[in-house]
Amino acid sequence: MRIDTLSPAEGATSPVKRLGRGIGSGHGKTSCKGHKGQWARSGGGVRPGFEGGQMPLSRRVPKRGFHNKWATNYTIINLSQLEKLPAGTVVDFEYVSKNNLAKQVKNSAGLKVLGKGELKVALTVKAAGFSGTAKQAIEKAGGTCEQVK
């Protein structure tokens, strides 16, 4: 077998439609475009989304919501998830991502700890942000909060 003898499998390709090559070809004269009209012209047709002058769907449907492209996205974790960890654990962004403690980790600016749940275990938590209740609960349990950028 040589590379110059290789060809596609039987029926895998179809021959190119040769347009405008006479009546006998079956694709002559109007080149399969029919007679006259917008679609028969060179460069003819309409742009995507055009509905013939009718108000297009993209304009009929109302706009909703807002996405702030400058917002800082944090990986969020609650105290209820930290409660399950053994005492003395150092919790940081890498620990959370390795142990799958948070739902979304990619495209994150760091870890943020929120105060949902109770904490009775002393932990060292290193995060980019803490809610007020989370900070109080961690310190009350005998742990420490370290702000990391």
Side-chain angles (χ1 to χ4, degrees), residues 18-87:
R18 296 187 73 226
L19 302 173
R21 295 297 185 274
I23 254 177
S25 71
H27 304 303
K29 194 184 173 195
T30 56
S31 302
C32 301
K33 285 179 172 269
H35 291 280
K36 296 186 182 176
Q38 188 173 20
W39 295 97
R41 312 287 184 215
S42 120
V46 293
R47 65 184 179 274
F50 184 69
E51 297 183 23
Q54 166 180 303
M55 185 64 69
L57 182 68
S58 60
R59 290 184 62 198
R60 285 193 306 251
V61 176
K63 290 192 288 186
R64 218 172 127 71
F66 170 75
H67 177 71
N68 184 359
K69 59 184 175 181
W70 294 285
T72 306
N73 297 318
Y74 292 105
T75 297
I76 292 173
I77 189 166
N78 280 299
L79 294 177
S80 56
Q81 293 159 290
L82 297 177
E83 175 62 36
K84 301 166 190 169
L85 302 176

